[in-house]
Every structure is written in C-alpha cells, then in structure tokens.
Amino acid sequence: MVSQEQRCYEGSAGAEFRQVDRTGQIHNATERFRFEILDYINNRLEQFSSEMKLKTDLPSLDDMVKQPVMSEMDLRVINKIEKESPSRNPQNSDDSKTSSIPFPEKVFRARSSILTELLKISHFRSIRQIFISVLVIVFLQVAIHDLFEFGKLDFRIDVILWNFSNLSACVRLWFWLFLSTSIVAYCGFHFWAYKRLVFIPIVTSNATENSNKKPTIIFDWMWFSVYCCYIALFLFFPVHYILAENYPIVTRIIILIEQVRFLMKTHAFVRENAPRAILYGQIYSQKDKAEDNTNDSSNDQKVFSRSHSPCPEFSKYIYFIFAPTLIYRDSYPRSLSIQWNYVLSQLAQFVAAVFFSYYLFYRFCLPVFRYFKSDHVTVEIFVLSILNCTLPGALLLFCVFYGFLHCWLNAFAEMLRFADREFYSDWWTATSWSSYYRTWNIVVHDWLYTYIYRDCHTLFGVKYRLVSMYTVIFLSACVHEYILALAFGYFYPILFLQFAVLGFISMLILPRRTQSKAFNIFIWTSLFVGLGMQMCLYSIEWYARQNCPRVVNGPLDYFVPRSFFCREVNDTITVDIKSSVTNNRHDL
C-alpha cells in the first residue's frame, strides 16, 4: 500500500503541475486575445477610414502629404484651369461618372510586419526555432558525410565561393547602376521640369487663352523619347557586361534584381512628379493674369515665389532610392530611433536563411541532377523527381520569404527609420491565387497596382478590366523570366507558363472571395507542386547543358532546351560518376 505521506506528495505535485499548466493556458489565451483584439481594431479602423474617404470630399492623408502648400493665388489659378478644362464640360459629366472608378491610393502609416507581432508569442517563436534546428541538422549531415566519405571535414562552401568569386566587379557594376539612377535620372528630370517653363507662354490680361503651346508639347515629347532611350540603355549595358564577363549565377541575380529595382524606383519618381511639374507649369503660365486680378500684386508675387517647385529635393529622392518601398512620396512616417540590436538580429537571420537555402540545394538538387542524361530518364523517374523536389522547394520558398521579405526589408526599414513595415500580408491564409498575388509581396504589388494597373485601366476603360489585370500578370511574369533566363544562361519558360498562363486561368476559374479551407489546401498543394516542378526542370536543363552537346549552333541554342534532345552522348561527354565524385566533387 502506498503510504499517506507519498499520496500527499503526489497530490501536491499533481496540483502544482495543474497550476503550472493552468498558468500556461491563461498566458496563451491572453496572447491570443490580445492579437485578436489588435487585429479587430486594425480592421475596423481601415474599414472606417475607407468609408469616410468614400463618403466625404476631404482629401486623403496621402494627398495632403503629396500636394504642396499653395498660395491663394495658386488656388485661384488651379480652379480656373479646372473650370476651363474640357473634362469639366457638363455634357461629359455623366460619361465621366460612369467610366471612372475611384482607385484607393497607398497610405503609409506606422505599423509592424505580421511576423514581428506573431513572434512575440512563444508558440510562433518555437516554429522559428524548429527551422533553425533543421538548418543545424542539414549542416551537420553534409559535414559528417564528408568526414566518413573523404576522411576530413568539409562544409561544402565551394559553390558559395564560386558564386562570389567576382564580388568586387559586382560591387563596381552596382555602383555604376546606383550613380546612373541617382544622378543621371534625377538631373534629367530636374532639367526637364525647369527648362520646360521657358517654352510655356505667359497668359496675361491682354493675351488670349488659346496661346501657342506647341513648343512645350514638342519639348515634352522630346524628353519622353530621351527617357525611353535611358530605360533601354539601362537595360542593355548591365546585361551586356554580365554576359561578356561571364558572371556566376548569384552575382548575376544580384545585378539583375538591382537593375529592375532601380528601374521601378525611377519610373515611380517620374510618374509621381511629372503631373506635379505640369501643374506647376500651368500655374506659372497664368501668374501674370492672376496678378492683375488681385489688389496687391507684389504680395501675391512673393507668395508665388515661395510656392512649391516642379521637382522635389535631391535628399528626398535619395531617401526613396534606399527606402523599402517602390511608391514615391515626399515624406514617409518615421520611427523615433534606430534599434541596432534589432538590425543585427535581422541581418544574422538573413545570412542564416541564405545558408539554409544553399545547403538545401546542395543536399537535394546537386546529387540528383548533376549527371543528368535524357536516355536515363523515364516518365516514372521524372514524376518522382518532381515530387521529391516539392519538400526542398517549399523550404526554399519559406527561406526566401523569411530571409528577404521579412529580415532584409525590416533591417533596412529600421536603419532608415521607415515606420511602415507592411511588406507582406497573411498570404498563407489565401484561398485564391488573386489574394495570394496581392499579399505575398506587397512592395511589388503596390507598384504594379499604382503605376501599371491604374494607368492601363485609364487607357483601356472599365470594359477591358481583364486586359488591365492580365497586363500586370504578364509584365510580372516577363520580369521574373527575364531574371532567371539571364541568370542561368538559357531560356526555359517554366515559371512564365505557370505564372502568366496557369495562374491567370486559375484566377478566372476559382472563386475570389471564399473562406473554404479546401481552396486554401488547393493553393498550398499547387504551390508546392509548382515549386517542385520549377526546381526539378531548371536543374535538369542546367546540368543537361553541362553534360550534353549542342543541338543547334548560334543564338538559337539559347532558346532550344538541350534536355529534350540529349539522347545520343558520345564517349567524350560520358562522365564516370565515381571518378568525378572523387576528383571534381566541388564542380557545380
């Protein structure tokens, strides 16, 4: 029989355990309740703000920030210009109401990333620690395998060293891209914005309204042609340089991504400030006439001279170049101070995500596809290879998302005191491809929506909304394929077909607004299978070009996949796997 003392001890221990368990449950319930309350309040505030914006005629906060402070004389001139505009004709008012749709503008406000809030909860921190433990296991697996196989520790960083073998040349090329974006683009826009004022005829009380505006139009179109030539040269020279110097894959990707980022920054700056310069020119052309209608022309002239300029300051443009956003504003919400410990923590996690991605590729892709030849591949092997790549492909997706969209962007936002940290939303709860595209990368989505979709919608009209939507998807798919094709050295449009064809069809077929868990499971399943297919096919084509002879000669070889025709391999191409592993095991 159990003694009474032992029963008392067990009872006290059980009570203590239940108390600790109850305390943990209360703590977890409190954390969940706090997060739900914050999310509810945030959603209600956004809904209230949108309703007030639609019901009132007051300008939004974004417009107040973007529009400069004007004098009374400037406001009178603007009202006169708007009244005399053909679009204000009463005959066209009904048509404009039916054809125009109000587009919500990007409103920047101080807010944290979703993962930043979620990682305050211990359960979500445990998920991150699980990924860290997986990284440690993969790292040790590679090292111990080399210890038993070759008798020494080798952490297999040879591919990393090869990819960054020309880092100094990569930095120099990036520096020239930065100078071109910051100096050439800004100085060109600044020159156009001020020089066009010389060609604008000044409207006085003795002059007619229909003045000759032909020199101004010719000057604007001439500089628009110069801007298009600048974009073409900015696309050509970096590509020519990296192909001529035969850059490795990673440094090519860095240069190409930065090239696209600088182009998007430049277009955002020009697109936001060109209407500002044109409006300033309209005010400038009628300032003398407005002075004659005022009692004190000298005071109005002083006020006019202190009004806004047609081009923002250079410091604002430089801040925009480095800010983690692609939407230009003269000012953004800023945090009070910089937490350097947070910056170092995010950068360290970014480096860990890079190593995680590298070891996943080295462990799951390099041994499988290195000695690919099509005569060894059957349908069964091909399907199994795709399914085997789904898990590492999914892990690579998480590494890219967490490493870049969370750690890298939050680190730069903290260093620049950029307070709006909504770089992504809850894409993992998406039940349709349209919601996934909107929430996966909000930084790029905002640029596509603001400067592509809205302009295409204005150009094509409401009836061709699908054309505007597909233009956005097609442009995004082309840019992704442009980076991959130039980085790998061959054109193999798997991502383009999945993105621009299958993704668009899925957007049309699947319901856009649903909360069904089945659709969320479908999104995750198709995402994993698509990533596995990309990882498998791109790796097969890469190693087929290493092991198989050319099918055609000349530039056409860039577009013809060698993996489709690699069936007869001569003796000089055949690789002895055992001797290659022993002698050249570090070759990519």
Side-chain angles (χ1 to χ4, degrees), residues 213-489:
K213 298 182 180 180
K214 188 175 181 179
T216 307
I217 297 175
I218 295 176
F219 183 78
D220 292 343
W221 277 104
M222 181 184 70
W223 275 95
F224 177 75
S225 302
V226 172
Y227 173 70
C228 293
C229 292
Y230 167 79
I231 297 297
L233 293 176
F234 197 87
L235 286 171
F236 172 76
F237 280 106
V239 172
H240 174 74
Y241 192 79
I242 64 176
L243 293 180
E245 297 294 330
N246 196 17
Y247 275 32
I249 296 178
V250 173
T251 48
R252 285 190 184 190
I253 291 177
I254 292 173
I255 293 299
L256 292 172
I257 290 178
E258 285 297 287
Q259 179 195 46
V260 173
R261 185 179 72 90
F262 283 140
L263 283 176
M264 296 170 75
K265 294 272 189 178
T266 303
H267 182 74
F269 176 77
V270 172
R271 182 64 181 82
E272 289 288 345
N273 290 284
R276 171 179 176 173
I278 294 174
L279 177 62
Y280 183 88
Q282 291 175 339
I283 299 174
Y284 178 82
S285 64
Q286 300 192 18
K287 65 175 183 178
D288 290 342
K289 186 176 180 180
E291 288 175 1
D292 295 337
N293 296 330
T294 57
N295 296 326
D296 193 358
S297 59
S298 61
N299 293 334
D300 287 339
Q301 178 65 28
K302 293 179 181 179
V303 174
F304 182 84
S305 63
R306 293 195 300 267
S307 65
H308 71 288
S309 63
C311 182
E313 293 83 358
F314 183 69
S315 59
K316 297 178 180 179
Y317 179 64
I318 286 295
Y319 181 85
F320 170 65
I321 291 296
F322 290 99
T325 181
L326 296 173
I327 306 297
Y328 177 80
R329 297 290 184 267
D330 284 340
S331 62
Y332 301 93
R334 308 284 291 275
S335 56
L336 298 177
S337 60
I338 302 176
Q339 300 178 9
W340 290 105
N341 292 332
Y342 179 79
V343 174
L344 295 177
S345 174
Q346 296 301 314
L347 292 178
Q349 293 178 62
F350 170 77
V351 173
V354 171
F355 274 97
F356 198 175
S357 303
Y358 168 71
Y359 281 113
L360 285 173
F361 170 79
Y362 213 114
R363 175 65 181 84
F364 294 101
C365 288
L366 196 61
V368 176
F369 303 107
R370 173 180 283 180
Y371 307 106
F372 167 80
K373 295 179 182 63
S374 293
D375 53 346
H376 299 158
V377 178
T378 62
V379 176
E380 180 183 358
I381 295 176
F382 179 72
V383 174
L384 291 178
S385 298
I386 292 178
L387 295 178
N388 290 333
C389 287
T390 55
L391 179 58
L395 293 176
L396 285 175
L397 173 70
F398 295 143
C399 290
V400 171
F401 162 70
Y402 185 77
F404 179 74
L405 291 178
H406 181 74
C407 297
W408 183 261
L409 295 182
N410 271 286
F412 268 83
E414 186 66 27
M415 286 187 287
L416 296 173
R417 297 194 296 114
F418 189 83
D420 195 338
R421 313 286 175 87
E422 192 184 33
F423 308 123
Y424 54 88
S425 187
D426 54 343
W427 58 270
W428 47 85
T429 63
T431 55
S432 64
W433 281 112
S434 59
S435 61
Y436 171 78
Y437 291 149
R438 288 194 303 267
T439 56
W440 158 255
N441 190 344
I442 293 182
V443 179
V444 175
H445 172 266
D446 287 340
W447 187 90
L448 291 172
Y449 171 79
T450 304
Y451 304 119
I452 303 299
Y453 179 78
R454 290 172 58 178
D455 290 347
C456 290
H457 195 282
T458 304
L459 180 63
F460 298 132
V462 182
K463 296 181 180 179
Y464 300 96
R465 186 179 62 87
L466 287 178
V467 177
S468 303
M469 185 172 63
Y470 186 73
T471 302
V472 172
I473 297 176
F474 181 79
L475 178 62
S476 180
C478 288
V479 172
H480 283 80
E481 194 60 41
Y482 164 79
I483 295 174
L484 291 179
L486 292 175
F488 292 144

Side-chain angles (χ1 to χ4, degrees), residues 115-116 118-136 342 345-346 349-350 352 356 402 406-407:
L115 283 185
T116 303
L118 291 177
L119 289 174
K120 295 179 181 179
I121 304 175
S122 59
H123 299 289
F124 287 94
R125 288 198 302 269
S126 300
I127 298 176
R128 182 178 60 182
Q129 293 162 8
I130 290 173
F131 278 93
I132 295 175
S133 64
V134 173
L135 171 61
V136 173
Y342 179 79
S345 174
Q346 296 301 314
Q349 293 178 62
F350 170 77
F356 198 175
Y402 185 77
H406 181 74
C407 297

Side-chain angles (χ1 to χ4, degrees), residues 1-11:
M1 295 179 63
V2 182
S3 62
Q4 183 177 2
E5 181 179 359
Q6 185 176 359
R7 287 196 300 270
C8 293
Y9 174 78
E10 292 176 354

Side-chain angles (χ1 to χ4, degrees), residues 509-564:
I509 296 177
L510 297 178
R512 296 184 181 179
R513 297 181 181 180
T514 178
Q515 298 297 327
S516 176
K517 296 180 180 179
F519 287 102
N520 182 250
I521 295 173
F522 171 78
I523 294 297
W524 277 107
T525 304
S526 56
L527 187 63
F528 287 166
V529 173
L531 289 171
M533 186 178 297
Q534 294 174 22
M535 195 172 182
C536 177
L537 294 177
Y538 280 113
S539 299
I540 286 177
E541 180 62 25
W542 171 266
Y543 289 110
R545 289 182 174 264
Q546 307 298 321
N547 301 328
C548 302
R550 290 174 178 263
V551 180
V552 293
N553 295 321
L556 190 61
D557 179 67
Y558 192 86
F559 300 94
V560 176
R562 292 192 195 179
S563 57
F564 290 176

